[in-house]
Amino acid sequence: MKTQVFAPGSTIGIIGGGQLGRMSAVAASKLGFHVHLLSTETPSPATEVAASVTVGAYDDPAALEDFASRCDVVTFEFENISAEGLALLEKHRPVRPAGEILRISQDRITEKTRLFEIGVNLAPWRAVNGPEDLAGLETLGFPLILKTTRFGYDGKGQFRVPDAEALAALKDLPYPLVAEKMIDFERELSVMVVRGLDGTVRCFDTVENRHRNGILDVTLAPARVMPDLALQAQDMAACIAEALGLVGIMGVEMFHAADGSLMVNEIAPRPHNSGHWTMDACLVDQFEMHVRAVTGLPLPPARRHSDAVMHNLIGPEDMARVPAILATDGASLHLYGKAEARPGRKMGHVNTIFPHGALPGELALEGLLPPR
Ligand code: ADP
Ligand code: MG
């Protein structure tokens, strides 16, 4: 089961109904695969484009069994499936990436522990299991950041602590937490790494990410860093993928610290928002790479034919820009089909493409999209 290859015509089961599932399903259909989804609700961004759906909770054994019986190989866009749910799926079908990798990435403590064992550089951190662990955090240094160990995304479940006074004033925190030293970073970088069933590893170019209100705002591809640093980031991502025995794609978020060092922030063993630029700047994008990896098809080099700037469209304010974006030459629009544009919700993204090596300077970046 571990090495089974699935030819086009097979059915890929995707867990999760969001935009990552939607874009994975479109990539799967491009290669002639069928897609069966497990989603808690329909319609959802992914159910709109999949051939069939099991509607149910992600840890309901009956829903998981029904889902597994309708597909040949299972992957996921949603990371918070329970350990029992994963074990049940793995009993029935190959799950790629393996449930064990998902289990590691679900919890910031297991994730950091495993990354430390692998030997990559991390921001200094401590586990904080209860109020009794707070006093010891002074040794990390300030400012620091506390994060819930599970279910955090888009900066949710995070508390910034500027100094000892603020630390002493903290009350009723949602333990367990991890504390990290706030890194004075030059840039945030990320690498999409994919590893195939035969062990082939491919890395897309190292990119630069900018956040707004804790949510990814812009990705610049490639990152504007020295080539050796970009390569070092890719080597780090490849090393993690190999150590974990990954099959599929994974996003590796990093800090390029002011002292020049690279630190891994977190990993996400699935397609990732910071890889959306590949949809218009690479012949084979992150979603197709993922589909190829989980079905055991060959992985071509992750080559970039153009430079790209990806802008996320967040909430009602960015949806109001859509008519103007549609009328903008050079803007490739991707909408996720979400009915309601709530504040802070990712509604779509726009890729603007430039000739290889011609990524515009800082000032020109501002003018790429119509203003908010
Ligand atoms: P999430 O799971 O919400 O993406 P992250 O750990 O990636 O959580 O944190 C979200 C953002 O917060 C990061 O992209 C970064 O901008 C900032 N951040 C998180 N941890 C640190 C840190 N130790 N030092 C500096 N900035 C941080
Ligand atoms: Mg993150």
Side-chain angles (χ1 to χ4, degrees):
M1 199 152 101
K2 270 207 143 88
T3 55
Q4 201 177 348
V5 173
F6 297 94
S10 314
T11 300
I12 303 176
I14 302 177
I15 299 179
Q19 63 267 20
L20 301 175
R22 176 185 178 96
M23 294 182 278
S24 301
V26 170
S29 72
K30 175 187 178 240
L31 289 181
F33 290 101
H34 303 287
V35 172
H36 183 77
L37 274 188
L38 176 62
S39 175
T40 52
E41 55 182 1
T42 186
S44 68
T47 63
E48 291 283 284
V49 302
S52 53
V53 190
T54 298
V55 179
Y58 299 127
D59 44 15
D60 170 8
L64 288 169
E65 285 194 23
D66 177 79
F67 166 73
S69 72
R70 292 169 202 270
C71 48
D72 297 309
V73 57
V74 169
T75 189
F76 42 81
E77 66 121 44
F78 172 82
E79 280 176 88
N80 291 308
I81 308 150
S82 67
E84 300 77 47
L86 285 168
L88 195 151
L89 285 169
E90 289 192 306
K91 214 172 73 190
H92 291 283
R93 292 288 182 268
V95 177
R96 296 173 186 167
E100 175 61 14
I101 298 178
L102 197 58
R103 201 186 57 72
I104 292 167
S105 73
Q106 280 172 348
D107 183 294
R108 292 191 200 271
I109 295 179
T110 29
E111 180 179 66
K112 288 180 191 297
T113 305
R114 189 74 184 88
L115 288 170
F116 176 76
E117 285 166 10
I118 292 171
V120 295
N121 203 16
L122 300 170
W125 69 281
R126 304 267 189 285
V128 185
N129 290 308
E132 66 283 1
D133 292 337
L134 288 176
L137 293 184
E138 305 221 359
T139 57
L140 268 185
F142 294 102
L144 52 86
I145 182 166
L146 295 167
K147 305 180 184 177
T148 51
T149 56
R150 301 176 76 89
F151 310 119
Y153 69 98
D154 290 345
K156 292 185 175 51
Q158 302 192 350
F159 312 87
R160 294 181 184 218
V161 189
D163 49 32
E165 207 181 325
L167 183 68
L170 289 172
K171 283 202 179 59
D172 302 326
L173 291 170
Y175 299 104
L177 298 162
V178 294
E180 289 174 28
K181 184 167 171 43
M182 279 294 275
I183 300 305
D184 174 19
F185 57 75
E186 197 74 34
R187 291 182 187 77
E188 289 195 70
L189 303 176
S190 66
V191 173
M192 296 307 305
V193 54
V194 60
R195 184 170 172 276
L197 212 50
D198 64 358
T200 303
V201 175
R202 306 291 194 189
C203 290
F204 285 100
D205 288 283
T206 301
V207 300
E208 186 174 333
N209 300 310
R210 299 187 184 167
H211 293 78
R212 200 168 151 255
N213 305 325
I215 308 177
L216 181 64
D217 181 26
V218 179
T219 298
L220 305 181
R224 294 184 291 195
V225 296
M226 298 300 276
D228 61 335
L229 186 82
L231 276 178
Q232 196 191 331
Q234 289 177 313
D235 284 349
M236 222 143 117
C239 164
I240 298 168
E242 265 162 8
L244 294 177
L246 177 78
V247 174
I249 202 154
M250 175 172 73
V252 181
E253 297 178 17
M254 305 174 200
F255 300 127
H256 172 212
D259 67 4
S261 64
L262 269 184
M263 295 172 185
V264 173
N265 174 29
E266 59 173 355
I267 58 172
R270 52 167 173 76
H272 190 263
N273 198 166
S274 74
H276 290 358
W277 64 275
T278 62
M279 296 176 85
D280 294 290
C282 301
L283 208 54
V284 175
D285 68 19
Q286 65 159 343
F287 298 101
E288 180 173 341
M289 283 288 199
H290 182 62
V291 165
R292 285 174 177 243
V294 303
T295 54
L297 299 184
L299 301 181
R303 204 178 288 124
R304 179 184 100 251
H305 58 66
S306 302
D307 288 7
V309 180
M310 192 278 323
H311 284 88
N312 266 338
L313 299 179
I314 315 251
E317 95 190 272
D318 281 348
M319 282 309 280
R321 306 163 82 189
V322 163
I325 290 169
L326 282 169
T328 302
D329 185 18
S332 173
L333 177 66
H334 302 258
L335 291 178
Y336 307 151
K338 295 182 184 178
E340 205 193 333
R342 289 194 291 273
R345 198 173 194 207
K346 290 177 181 167
M347 303 302 293
H349 67 271
V350 185
N351 287 329
T352 311
I353 299 305
F354 302 89
H356 208 282
L359 201 64
E362 205 62 33
L363 277 175
L365 274 182
E366 291 295 314
L368 286 182
L369 295 189
R372 282 189 174 90

